[in-house]
Amino acid sequence: MAAKPPNTINPSASNNLFAAGDMGTNSFKLLIVRADPTTGRFLALDSLKEPVVLGRDIPSTAGISTASQLRAVAALRKFQQLLLSYDVSPVQTRLVATSAVREAANQLEFLTLIRQSLGLEVDVLSGEEEARLTYIGVLQFHPVFNKTILNVDIGGGSTEFVIGKEGEVIFGASLKLGHVTLTEEFVKNNEISKMRDHIQRVIQQSGFIEKVAEHGFEVVIGSSGTIRAIEKAVFNGYCQSLMDNGWFFQGFRDWRFSRRELGDLVGKLCGEEGRMGERVRREKFFKGRSEFIVAGSVLLEEIFGMLKIEEMEVSGYSLGEGVVAEQLAGSFDAYDLNANARWGSVVRLAARFNKKKMMKSVALCAGIAKEMFEGLRKWNESGDQVKLAVSLDDKDLEYLEAACLLHNIGLFTGKKGYHKQSYHIIMNGDQLHGYDSEEVKIIALLVRHHRKKFPKLDHHSMQGFTKEVKQKFIVLCAIIRVSAIVQHYLPINGQNMEFSHSYEGFKLVLGQIIDHPLVPSNVHPIVKDLGTELSKELEHFRVVFQQKLLVVPSSTSKSSER
């Protein structure tokens, strides 16, 4: 893993995979993304989180214990294995460490152990640099590039604040207030009032309140896992008084919560202390974060009060995505930090309804669709004449990938008719910022028609589209239907796919099948189901492209074709 982001990379020699490792005070996180060098968009392919909890040692020893160091090395070894499975170049990987390592008295000893054990270089971030990269990450998720924002990121050992606009940091600060260290010092001794006094004292002595008043802000955004957990609790009605069973029909929450809602949650969490039944409920909901959620929520409530914040938006992206974005800026010419603003609204909507495992699946669907699209575009433009009635461009690919990410967001209502529910969420939710009404409708219709009956050019839903748009839509529809079926039935490694054309037709060679052992005959049992379900879609493909398509899972000798 490189200690610094690369200055130059030849995109043609790269698989366009980038990775960021974040050695946090509470947990270590690895993010692997696929980047599009022509548009600046990136999409998470996989992630891994390990609860190392380095910060548990810092308050009492000022150093990282031997046990914690061994947990850290074990976590980083898992990161290496995942990076190797995706064939991510070390040059396109950056490993950073934050508060616990930054404050550790034995930092040099710890970093030497990592280097000697694993051959990895770690970039220890200053508090200000951590805050800056987190702000860059937030810009990839929220369309706030042109606004003055106050970003708050609560970590295990510190809290980072940034006031920024148009990608530039106006003011940044890092305060030694973290949910792990506060838990160790105060919550475990049931000293909530003392903790509040300590938080207020640290903030007041920092001069931060005056700086915020001097510069001002238009929007407040929270970007840490703790803040996302708080928003999730509010959204899911963790406090019974906040439950609203009709949330969708009244407009679902869009990654935000109010000061009142935060106060209700803090009261609920603090009231649970000492009551076994309530604590079990909390641990079930917050899982690994339950131990630290009281400290994190009280800290945030104090920040709200002292800075007079009434509402906070919440970012699904944070430090890891900021590290990736900066890597891309150093790797691709003329990379625009605002390039993901529009695409971010697609990811934001997908992440609202899809959990981590499902996000990984829809990212794979998008990867299959992208491979097919680019192969078809190359075939269409080769030779003396265009084979299709239309030419395909980068915007068409964006619509296709967006539809892949959103095609199953309606599953929360049940499997029956979920494609229609997904369509209605997209059309009626006003969530795809930066897309005009026709573009939103194209994405929604691709989602609506990714399964069941294949649409015709004269389908009533396409009224108002030009002939060219209708023809492009049919092409994209054929692609997403194949992609969705393959992704659903085959747990494959999406990094080794290949889409090609010969005189026999098209061939989609899939990556190695993973997660499921092969049966003794060496034929993956799920491939049989794939052949049954895929046959109709292959026929649709043949009609649209006047060419047959052969689908070959690389770890089996069986294939599906028409």
Side-chain angles (χ1 to χ4, degrees), residues 98 110 113 195 356 368 380 415 497-498 517-518 531 562:
T98 57
F110 180 46
L113 173 66
M195 181 171 68
K356 177 183 174 181
I368 297 169
N380 192 41
K415 188 172 181 180
M497 294 182 294
E498 182 181 346
L518 296 179
R562 287 295 297 243

Side-chain angles (χ1 to χ4, degrees), residues 10 75 114 130 197 203 215 319 345 350 381 426 456 468 557:
N10 179 1
I114 293 173
E130 180 183 351
D197 292 340
I203 294 177
H215 296 290
L319 176 61
S345 68
E381 296 173 353
I426 296 168
K456 296 181 179 180
E468 180 185 19
S557 59

Side-chain angles (χ1 to χ4, degrees), residues 154-165:
I154 296 177
S158 64
T159 295
E160 275 62 52
F161 299 88
V162 161
I163 294 178
K165 184 176 183 179

Side-chain angles (χ1 to χ4, degrees), residues 194-260:
K194 284 188 177 180
M195 181 171 68
R196 288 186 183 274
D197 292 340
H198 173 72
I199 293 169
Q200 292 172 12
R201 184 165 56 252
V202 170
I203 294 177
Q204 287 170 347
Q205 291 176 354
S206 71
F208 178 68
I209 297 176
E210 291 77 13
K211 284 289 187 180
V212 172
E214 176 186 346
H215 296 290
F217 55 83
E218 298 173 77
V219 181
V220 183
I221 297 180
S223 56
S224 64
T226 293
I227 293 176
R228 286 192 291 272
I230 290 171
E231 191 277 338
K232 179 183 175 183
V234 171
F235 177 74
N236 286 281
Y238 187 85
C239 299
Q240 202 63 31
S241 61
L242 302 182
M243 185 67 76
D244 179 9
N245 293 324
W247 62 269
F248 171 69
F249 301 102
Q250 298 178 22
F252 58 83
R253 312 184 69 89
D254 184 26
W255 298 89
R256 69 183 71 227
F257 57 87
S258 68
R259 183 175 180 176
R260 179 188 64 80

Side-chain angles (χ1 to χ4, degrees), residues 268-316:
K268 178 73 172 176
L269 291 172
C270 291
E272 290 173 350
E273 290 295 301
R275 300 211 301 268
M276 183 56 66
E278 292 295 323
R279 293 190 67 179
V280 169
R281 175 175 179 262
R282 183 178 78 196
E283 289 170 3
K284 182 178 180 181
F285 184 86
F286 291 102
K287 298 182 173 60
R289 199 172 293 278
S290 63
E291 181 182 0
F292 310 112
I293 194 63
V294 171
S297 59
V298 170
L299 171 57
L300 187 61
E301 184 179 39
E302 290 298 329
I303 292 171
F304 264 58
M306 298 185 76
L307 297 181
K308 297 180 173 55
I309 297 170
E310 293 300 324
E311 183 178 76
M312 172 175 279
E313 296 189 24
V314 180
S315 173

Side-chain angles (χ1 to χ4, degrees), residues 18 43 140 147 174 214 288 313-314 350 374 377 427 491 496 539:
F18 291 79
L43 180 63
Q140 312 309 302
K147 293 184 178 181
S174 178
E214 176 186 346
E313 296 189 24
V314 180
E374 291 181 338
R377 177 161 61 175
M427 287 297 292
N496 299 312
E539 177 59 20

Side-chain angles (χ1 to χ4, degrees), residues 333-369:
D333 292 338
Y335 179 80
D336 181 3
L337 285 177
N338 196 33
N340 271 301
R342 174 164 127 143
W343 178 246
S345 68
V346 175
V347 177
R348 190 161 61 248
L349 181 57
R352 164 53 62 212
F353 292 94
N354 292 323
K355 295 182 179 179
K356 177 183 174 181
K357 186 175 181 180
M358 188 62 75
M359 282 298 291
K360 183 177 177 180
S361 295
V362 296
L364 175 57
C365 179
I368 297 169

Side-chain angles (χ1 to χ4, degrees), residues 490-503:
L490 280 182
I492 61 174
N493 183 336
Q495 295 315 117
N496 299 312
M497 294 182 294
E498 182 181 346
F499 187 82
S500 60
H501 180 261
S502 69
Y503 69 92

